[in-house]
Amino acid sequence: MKVFDELFHSLRLRIFLVVLIVGIVPIICLKFGVLRSYEDEMISDRSIEIQTQCNSVSNQLITYNYLYDPSSEKVNAELAQLSNIYDGRIIIVDSTLRIIKDTYSLDEDKTILSSEVIKCFQGENTIRYDEKNRYIELTVPVMDNMTGKEQSIVGVMLVSASADSIMVTLEDLTTKLNLLEVVAAIIVILIAVIFSKSIVNPFLKMTDSIAEWGEDVDEEAVSKTMTEFTETHLIAESFASLLSKMKSVDKTRQEFVSNVSHELKTPLTSMKVLADSITAMGDAPAELYKEFMTDMSEEIDRENKIINDLLSLVKMDKTEAKPQIQSMSVNDLIEVIMKRLRPIAKKRNIELVFESFREVTAEIDEVKFTLAISNLVENAIKYNIENGWVHVSLNADHKDMYIVVADSGIGIPEDSINDIFERFYRVDKSHSREIGGTGLGLAIAKNAILMHHGTIKVSSKVGEGTKFTARVPLSYIE
Ligand code: ADP
């Protein structure tokens, strides 16, 4: 049920429901509150009114000595009128709890044992509202007001008055309030529809315009459509930045692929030229063949080196390929590298020195770490001058080790220094090629150092020399 699922998860529906609940619940509460307090007030007003009238009747009861002789026409007429007005019943009880008058003439001469009556004799008036049967029941004391004496309660009037008329007014009010409630509910629904629409609209607009975005998303395209809410504007901006990042990744990838193809093609082209020219020569002397074959073999070696370097890079790029970390002596490792490279340095009479400030043991991936240091030292030899020097030093503090590879070589121009770690970047392409460079050595070295969560820095002066400093943590952090 995709439609229901979408509807249920729709932001608009949720905002609509929230506004609806927030709007309608108070209206309903208000209605019941108004009705309740109005009802309470009317019952209390009516009770006071009855009490006042009963007080004046109770005075007459004393005047006409009614408690002892309930035959007074005037009082009886008054009682009948009163019970008529309130559509109720009046019972008069004397001090012996005997009913001496009942306007319904049902219980006269009987004894009443109602708690209200007893309480009234004790000086406590009660007013009770029977909600179910809709009548008000109250007691009024009949006071003996003989002058010079303390007033005493000589009888009690027990009055039950119908609350039907109050209910009629209340029902009338309920109808009006219901009408008001319906009107208010319609207004709230309208507000909820408009409000939820106005909140959701910028998001829909944003979705539409993002779908319309082409290859190039400039600031203008972002700001033009997304100005209504700060939040939507921020989302649009993040999208734009994500898109530009993706474009840049794509550009780098394309550049890389075209660089790779170009680099791989160069040795092949040379080989093709060599092969074609020797074939075109017809009867060439055996020495020439040999020379051409040697050249071709060199080109094959070159092709091989590029492929091997690329494979090393690709291996390090794979994030899932876990480094083979083990704790080992970095001093020994560098010694081995130096030993391997010494013959190459010797060819150009370059002095190769390793200076170790202390014994350093670290958690490293032997193969990748060796690759990084070898490339740095190899470069220091390759881009050096005849009779120059290469200084490698190793030091450490409690956390990191520092490897410095300094040389007395040709140096790197300032405007190239930020690019040398890029794949296939070479300051002087033909020179690099001549000495067998692929342009991948420093990219490999940097990747290997980063893999160990380290950093690599370079400083250089043309004609004076170059210094690479690698900082690598002694313990490997996963
Ligand atoms: P390559 O295979 O060409 O040596 P690298 O990635 O190792 O590629 O180095 C990139 C470029 O940086 C080199 O072509 C070279 O121009 C420059 N470079 C690297 N190391 C040094 C150095 N020690 N002295 C001078 N230039 C250097």
Side-chain angles (χ1 to χ4, degrees), residues 61 67 73 162 334 436 441 470:
L61 294 184
L67 290 175
E73 294 269 317
S162 161
I334 296 179

Short mmCIF file of all heavy atoms in Angstrom, two decimals, residues 61 67 73 162 334 436 441 470:
data_model
loop_
_atom_site.label_atom_id
_atom_site.label_comp_id
_atom_site.label_asym_id
_atom_site.label_seq_id
_atom_site.Cartn_x
_atom_site.Cartn_y
_atom_site.Cartn_z
N LEU A 61 -44.28 32.17 58.74
CA LEU A 61 -44.64 30.96 59.49
C LEU A 61 -44.67 31.26 60.98
O LEU A 61 -45.55 30.79 61.71
CB LEU A 61 -43.62 29.84 59.23
CG LEU A 61 -43.53 29.29 57.80
CD1 LEU A 61 -42.54 28.13 57.74
CD2 LEU A 61 -44.91 28.78 57.33
N LEU A 67 -46.27 26.68 62.71
CA LEU A 67 -45.70 25.38 63.13
C LEU A 67 -46.63 24.63 64.08
O LEU A 67 -46.59 23.41 64.17
CB LEU A 67 -44.34 25.60 63.80
CG LEU A 67 -43.21 26.04 62.86
CD1 LEU A 67 -41.95 26.33 63.64
CD2 LEU A 67 -42.94 25.00 61.79
N GLU A 73 -54.68 30.29 55.89
CA GLU A 73 -54.97 30.33 54.45
C GLU A 73 -53.89 31.08 53.69
O GLU A 73 -53.44 30.68 52.63
CB GLU A 73 -56.30 31.08 54.24
CG GLU A 73 -57.49 30.37 54.80
CD GLU A 73 -58.11 29.45 53.74
OE1 GLU A 73 -58.21 29.91 52.59
OE2 GLU A 73 -58.41 28.29 54.07
N SER A 162 -37.38 22.32 40.76
CA SER A 162 -36.94 21.74 39.48
C SER A 162 -35.94 22.67 38.79
O SER A 162 -36.08 23.88 38.83
CB SER A 162 -38.15 21.53 38.58
OG SER A 162 -37.73 21.40 37.26
N ILE A 334 64.89 1.43 7.49
CA ILE A 334 65.53 2.48 6.68
C ILE A 334 66.93 2.02 6.24
O ILE A 334 67.34 2.26 5.11
CB ILE A 334 65.58 3.82 7.46
CG1 ILE A 334 64.15 4.32 7.70
CG2 ILE A 334 66.36 4.88 6.67
CD1 ILE A 334 64.04 5.61 8.46
N GLY A 436 63.74 7.98 -15.69
CA GLY A 436 62.87 6.85 -15.38
C GLY A 436 61.75 7.13 -14.39
O GLY A 436 61.28 6.23 -13.71
N GLY A 441 55.48 8.51 -7.97
CA GLY A 441 56.24 8.22 -6.75
C GLY A 441 55.76 8.99 -5.53
O GLY A 441 55.50 8.39 -4.47
N ALA A 470 58.32 13.70 7.04
CA ALA A 470 57.13 12.87 7.28
C ALA A 470 56.99 12.65 8.78
O ALA A 470 57.96 12.34 9.47
CB ALA A 470 57.27 11.55 6.56
#
